[in-house]
Amino acid sequence: MFVLRKNKLAFTVISFVMLAAALLFFTSSVEGASSKNEGNSSSLRGFYAKWELDVSGLKGCSSLCWDYYYFVNDKQVATKFPDGGIDALNCSKDKCLTYKIKGNRLVLSNGKSYPFKVKSATELEIDGDKYTKYKPSSGLKLEGKYESSSYTSTPLGGGLASSMTYVFRKDGTFFDSKFTGYTTDGSDSGDNSGVSTVTQSEKQTSGTYTIVNYTLRLKYKDGTIKKVLFFLPEQPSLKMLRIGARDYLLQKADGTNDGSGSKPAEPYQDKLTTDKIAKKQVLATSRIEKSRQMENIQITLKGYQWAKLTIDPKYKDLFVGFGDKGIVALTAKYRIDNESEQSVNVNSLKVTLELPDSDLGILEASPLAPKVKDELKPGEGVERMSVILLSMDYFDGNKDFELAFGPLNNLEGKDVFQGNWLGFNIWKDL
C-alpha cells in the first residue's frame, strides 16, 4: 500500500508530481471507496437505478439504457414496471420478485443471485454496478422546453429515429409533440440513394400536469389522462427528466440542450493550467449539482472535467509511468458545507478515483489544485478543486468511475466521517 504524506512542507508542486507519477497515485481501496459503509442490510426500501449509454442504438434505448430495482418492502422487489410506472405497480397482479440478502449476495426468487453491497444511504452496488437511490418529486413544478431524441437500429440495416418534446409551465400547463422517421435501405423513389424515409408527425396537444411521487399525470384538453414514470436523473437538477421510457434534456432559447454534457469554452483553472505545467485538450465536461451528506457535513459535486494533457517540455521528465498514450487529468469542482457543531480541517479531506473491477484507487494530486483556507467553522462553506491524473489506457479502458471523499478531520485530528466515505458516480461519456 502506498500512502502519500505531507511530511515535508517544503515539497513543491513539481516534486510532488514526480513522486506521485512514479507511484501512479495508487492507494489501497482499504482506505478507498470499498471501505465506505459496506454493511449489508437484511431489508431495503426505495427506488434505485443506474444507466449506461446506447451510442449505437442497437439496444433500443432512448439514448440511455436504464436498469431499475424498486424494493417495495422487506420481501418484494420489482425490476420492471407497468405502463403507469412505479406508483401503478401492484405486486398481486404485476411481476414482482421476492428477495433475500444472504451474506454479500442479493438472492432473487427467479433463481438469480448477484454480489451485493450497501455503499451508502443512497447507493447500492449490485453485480458490480452502482445504483443510485432516487427520491420522489411530489408537487414539483417545471418551466421550459424538454426534448428527447433517439435512434434505434434494425437488423436489416435501417433505423427508427424519433423526437418528442414537452413544454412545461409553472402554472401547471403543458403541451407536447412528437416526430417519427423510418429509414430503410433499398429506395424505390428513383433517386438512386439506396435510402427511403417515411416520416410521421403528430400535432401539438396540450393540457395540465401534476407530479405525485414517481408519477407524471398528464390531463389533455380532450379529457384523456396519461400517467407515466417520472424522476430526476441528476437530482435535484432539473436539466434532465426521465419521463416514461425516455430521457428529456432542457433546451436553451437557441435550441441547444442545457444538459450536463455540454463542453466549456475554457478548461478548468487548476494549477496545471494557471502555472502552465500543461496544456489541456478538453475531452468532456459535466456540470451537475449532486449532494451527499454525512455527519452533518455536505459535499456538493458541482462539475468535473476530463482533459488530455500536453506537458510543457521543461516538466516532461517529471511525468513518468503513465504509458505511451498520454495522461488524462480529472478535475473536480465541489463545495463543502459544514453544518455540524465542530470545525474541520478542509485540507485533510482526501479524494480518490475508484477504478471499476479493481481493488486500487488513484489518489488526488492535491498540490495541483488551488489552495483554500484550511479551517472551516460551523455554518461555513467553501468551494474546492481536486486534480487526479491517470493514464490514457485506464481512461480508454473504462466507461464509469467513482469519486470517493474521505477522511475529513476535525481540529483534534479525528475523522468526522468515522471511517466512512462519500461517493459520486461519474462517467467519461457524457
Side-chain angles (χ1 to χ4, degrees):
M1 175 178 68
F2 296 111
V3 180
L4 301 180
R5 303 181 187 275
K6 292 184 179 179
N7 290 333
K8 296 184 179 181
L9 297 179
F11 263 13
T12 65
V13 170
I14 302 307
S15 64
F16 180 90
V17 170
M18 179 173 64
L19 171 63
L23 298 179
L24 289 178
F25 299 104
F26 283 126
T27 60
S28 170
S29 64
V30 173
E31 294 187 356
S34 60
S35 297
K36 303 183 295 295
N37 193 26
E38 288 185 356
N40 290 325
S41 172
S42 59
S43 64
L44 297 165
R45 296 289 180 93
F47 172 50
Y48 295 81
K50 77 168 184 72
W51 62 262
E52 62 181 23
L53 286 170
D54 183 18
V55 178
S56 65
L58 293 175
K59 295 181 181 179
C61 307
S62 63
S63 71
L64 301 181
C65 293
W66 286 87
D67 289 313
Y68 302 135
Y69 278 91
Y70 174 50
F71 294 91
V72 182
N73 50 44
D74 294 349
K75 298 179 180 180
Q76 294 174 300
V77 62
T79 58
K80 295 182 180 180
F81 309 127
D83 291 341
I86 293 176
D87 299 317
L89 182 70
N90 184 340
C91 286
S92 64
K93 299 178 181 179
D94 302 309
K95 293 183 179 179
C96 295
L97 302 171
T98 58
Y99 75 94
K100 293 181 180 179
I101 307 298
K102 293 186 176 180
N104 292 322
R105 298 192 72 84
L106 172 66
V107 181
L108 303 176
S109 58
N110 61 2
K112 295 183 179 180
S113 171
Y114 302 106
F116 175 84
K117 295 178 184 178
V118 176
K119 303 290 286 185
S120 71
T122 57
E123 285 188 345
L124 303 177
E125 183 176 301
I126 302 174
D127 198 23
D129 294 318
K130 295 178 179 62
Y131 287 76
T132 299
K133 187 174 186 178
Y134 288 95
K135 299 177 181 179
S137 303
S138 295
L140 181 66
K141 294 297 182 182
L142 302 168
E143 181 72 37
K145 178 181 178 182
Y146 290 84
E147 186 172 286
S148 173
S149 299
S150 68
Y151 179 81
T152 303
S153 299
T154 65
L156 298 177
L160 172 64
S162 66
S163 175
M164 298 186 67
T165 300
Y166 283 102
V167 176
F168 295 101
R169 297 188 179 92
K170 286 191 174 181
D171 63 2
T173 61
F174 79 97
F175 71 81
D176 67 16
S177 62
K178 66 180 179 180
F179 164 85
T180 305
Y182 304 90
T183 303
T184 61
D185 292 335
S187 172
D188 294 326
S189 62
D191 60 5
N192 296 317
S193 67
V195 176
S196 62
T197 302
V198 178
T199 63
Q200 177 183 348
S201 63
E202 292 190 4
K203 294 181 179 180
Q204 294 176 350
T205 53
S206 61
T208 59
Y209 74 92
T210 53
I211 299 171
V212 179
N213 294 325
Y214 297 99
T215 301
L216 172 64
R217 181 182 184 271
L218 303 170
K219 183 177 181 181
Y220 292 87
K221 287 185 176 180
D222 65 0
T224 302
I225 294 177
K226 182 179 179 181
K227 295 181 180 180
V228 291
L229 173 70
F230 179 92
F231 64 92
L232 302 176
E234 296 180 347
Q235 57 186 356
S237 170
L238 300 177
K239 293 179 179 179
M240 184 176 180
L241 311 178
R242 181 69 173 175
I243 300 176
R246 300 180 69 107
D247 303 288
Y248 291 78
L249 291 177
L250 180 63
Q251 305 296 300
K252 296 180 181 179
D254 61 3
T256 60
N257 75 68
D258 196 25
S260 59
S262 56
K263 294 183 179 180
E266 298 292 336
Y268 283 177
Q269 297 299 296
D270 53 36
K271 288 192 175 183
L272 286 167
T273 301
T274 59
D275 291 4
K276 299 181 179 180
I277 297 172
K279 292 183 179 179
K280 290 184 176 182
Q281 175 190 346
V282 176
L283 303 175
T285 299
S286 175
R287 300 184 185 91
I288 61 176
E289 289 282 338
K290 184 171 287 188
S291 299
R292 299 279 188 270
Q293 183 167 308
M294 186 182 297
E295 302 298 332
N296 293 319
I297 303 293
Q298 179 171 282
I299 296 179
T300 302
L301 182 61
K302 303 181 76 67
Y304 57 92
Q305 182 180 85
W306 303 94
K308 186 175 181 179
L309 302 183
T310 300
I311 307 299
D312 186 282
K314 62 184 176 183
Y315 302 129
K316 196 166 186 178
D317 291 342
L318 302 178
F319 289 80
V320 295
F322 289 95
D324 298 330
K325 292 185 178 180
I327 305 172
V328 173
L330 168 65
T331 304
K333 290 182 178 181
Y334 53 94
R335 179 179 176 86
I336 305 172
D337 287 291
N338 185 2
E339 300 173 0
S340 71
E341 297 181 354
Q342 57 183 321
S343 295
V344 297
N345 287 327
V346 171
N347 294 315
S348 69
L349 180 68
K350 298 295 187 295
V351 182
T352 64
L353 181 68
E354 302 301 313
L355 302 175
D357 302 320
S358 173
D359 292 331
L360 298 175
I362 304 177
L363 183 65
E364 67 176 317
S366 54
L368 294 181
K371 293 182 179 180
V372 299
K373 68 173 185 176
D374 191 33
E375 183 178 349
L376 194 66
K377 297 178 181 179
E380 292 184 339
V382 66
E383 292 193 358
R384 197 172 185 247
M385 279 189 184
S386 287
V387 182
I388 297 172
L389 304 182
L390 64 157
S391 71
M392 181 61 76
D393 285 328
Y394 278 119
F395 180 77
D396 287 341
N398 298 285
K399 65 180 180 179
D400 55 27
F401 303 86
E402 181 183 18
L403 273 178
F405 293 79
L408 176 65
N409 296 335
N410 60 19
L411 300 188
E412 287 74 43
K414 295 182 180 179
D415 179 14
V416 176
F417 291 165
Q418 303 180 45
N420 296 317
W421 290 60
L422 290 173
F424 295 84
N425 291 331
I426 64 172
W427 295 266
K428 67 176 185 181
D429 298 318
L430 307 172

